[in-house]
Amino acid sequence: MTERIFKTHKSSKVEYSFTPIKRERLRESLCLSSCLLAPPLTKKKNNMEVATIQRFQCSSWIDLRTFEGKPRGSLRYSLRFNEDKRLKVVSLALDKRRDHRLRSVSDNNSSVLETGSLLHSPSDEEQILKRKAEEVKPYLNGRSIYLVGMMGSGKTTVGKIMAGALGYTLFDSDTLIEQAMNGTSVAEIFEHFGESVFREKETEALKKLSLTYHQVVVSTGGGAVIRPINWKYMHKGISIWLDVPLEVLAHRIAAVGTDSRPLLHDDESEDIYTAALNRLSKIWDGRGEAYNNANARVSLENIALKLGYKSVSDLTPTEIAIEAFEHVQSYLDNKDGIARPDGL
């Protein structure tokens, strides 16, 4: 075996040229079997060449095994680790800021809707709404809430949210009137019986609600405020005026049409928005002052200003409901003769 190996190396002395294949084989042989190859190489020249080759090849092989690819892999790992660490720090910072803002809202007893206090998330709004309803309910002590305002001001939508948060029942006075008239719509009542009949039915509905029901939220018609007797019934509970700019109301009405609003059937020669705005302005002139009889006024313009919104239309019904609860609590807390909840 030794002789064969010796002859192989000896016969290749002249032809030795370090071709890629031979070089690779020699590198593997020298590195893995150097102890077997050393004895046959007795000539100094051969020993020097092989030793040189061995040192070069094995040194290169060791370097490759030890370092090849490591710097790049380590760099990628380091960059990925640093990026993950940075993202974790940012995430923690955002969580802390969100928690701080929620605590600020929770600790603020003056007004929930401070600028920037609400996170624009339905779940956050629902939590704040629920907490405010729990705070207001002892002050109400079973009293009903009556929402007043111009047509299209969102009384039914906001009323539904408030009723749900309080565990109250929602009533729409127009719906009660239609039921009392055997399903006749409001528009048909105006057309066939006149506005005076509708107003009589409206007063009957408010009287029944105030004397028979408790713990209800009532969405009234836009004109319920024009008859003083209606205020007598509504003041048995808490009345809230949803004050919405006429321009916003006109846009809302133009978007859905005027078929269900008989008082807006006027000049059809104008575009629907202009016609609605002109008609709303006339109606406002006749009843605007009457809305001031409400116990509390919720101005959508003021809410939008506090929240930093560009438009009233950016407000959500839940945000309006939360502000309405704030005004109810403020009114009952400051009104003389109103019983306070126990311990407050």
Side-chain angles (χ1 to χ4, degrees), residues 15-279:
E15 300 176 356
Y16 194 75
S17 60
F18 290 96
T19 61
I21 297 177
K22 290 182 178 181
R23 182 183 181 126
E24 179 65 16
R25 291 176 179 175
L26 180 59
R27 177 180 67 84
E28 294 176 354
S29 297
L30 291 174
C31 294
L32 299 176
S33 307
S34 60
C35 60
L36 297 176
L37 294 174
L41 300 177
T42 57
K43 293 185 179 181
K44 293 183 179 179
K45 188 174 180 179
N46 288 345
N47 283 340
M48 291 177 64
E49 289 179 349
V50 173
T52 301
I53 294 170
Q54 183 175 355
R55 285 196 301 270
F56 175 78
Q57 294 289 350
C58 289
S59 175
S60 300
W61 179 73
I62 292 171
D63 288 342
L64 290 174
R65 285 292 303 266
T66 308
F67 301 108
E68 184 178 4
K70 185 175 180 180
R72 289 181 295 172
S74 298
L75 180 60
R76 287 195 297 267
Y77 175 79
S78 178
L79 290 174
R80 184 168 64 250
F81 176 79
N82 289 336
E83 180 67 13
D84 292 343
K85 184 177 181 181
R86 185 185 68 80
L87 291 175
K88 289 180 180 179
V89 170
V90 172
S91 178
L92 289 173
L94 291 175
D95 289 341
K96 289 181 179 179
R97 184 170 63 179
R98 182 179 68 248
D99 293 342
H100 173 73
R101 292 169 70 184
L102 287 174
R103 284 196 300 270
S104 297
V105 172
S106 179
D107 294 339
N108 184 3
N109 293 323
S110 59
S111 178
V112 171
L113 296 178
E114 296 293 343
T115 301
S117 64
L118 277 181
L119 300 177
H120 300 289
S121 166
S123 60
D124 293 330
E125 288 184 355
E126 290 298 326
Q127 291 177 4
I128 297 172
L129 175 69
K130 181 179 179 180
R131 180 180 62 80
K132 289 310 303 177
E134 292 174 351
E135 292 179 2
V136 171
K137 196 169 183 178
Y139 285 81
L140 285 171
N141 196 25
R143 293 180 181 83
S144 297
I145 294 176
Y146 294 83
L147 297 177
V148 301
M150 290 282 286
M151 63 184 74
S153 59
K155 299 182 293 291
T156 301
T157 300
V158 175
K160 182 178 181 179
I161 294 173
M162 297 179 70
L166 290 170
Y168 279 21
T169 302
L170 174 69
F171 283 101
D172 186 303
S173 64
D174 284 354
T175 300
L176 293 177
I177 295 169
E178 291 175 342
Q179 292 174 353
M181 296 290 290
N182 298 320
T184 306
S185 68
V186 172
E188 291 173 335
I189 295 173
F190 269 79
E191 181 181 357
H192 299 295
F193 301 98
E195 182 177 357
S196 61
V197 173
F198 176 83
R199 297 302 174 195
E200 287 292 338
K201 295 297 182 180
E202 185 174 56
T203 298
E204 291 177 7
L206 292 174
K207 178 181 180 180
K208 182 178 181 180
L209 287 168
S210 66
L211 298 178
T212 308
Y213 295 93
H214 300 282
Q215 296 185 352
V216 299
V217 175
V218 180
S219 172
T220 68
V225 298
I226 61 179
R227 303 187 77 181
I229 188 63
N230 292 343
W231 285 109
K232 174 184 177 181
Y233 299 131
M234 290 190 290
H235 280 161
K236 291 183 180 295
I238 309 299
S239 55
I240 304 173
W241 171 24
L242 299 184
D243 186 8
V244 184
L246 296 182
E247 294 80 6
V248 175
L249 295 177
H251 276 295
R252 291 180 180 178
I253 293 170
V256 299
T258 61
D259 292 342
S260 62
R261 304 184 186 280
L263 292 180
L264 294 183
H265 295 167
D266 199 1
D267 189 359
E268 297 183 357
S269 62
E270 299 176 305
D271 65 272
I272 188 170
Y273 168 77
T274 302
L277 181 59
N278 290 337
R279 186 59 182 146

Side-chain angles (χ1 to χ4, degrees), residues 297 299-307 312 323:
R297 170 177 172 261
S299 169
L300 270 64
E301 283 186 317
N302 289 344
I303 303 174
L305 181 63
K306 286 194 293 183
L307 291 175
V312 167
E323 185 73 2

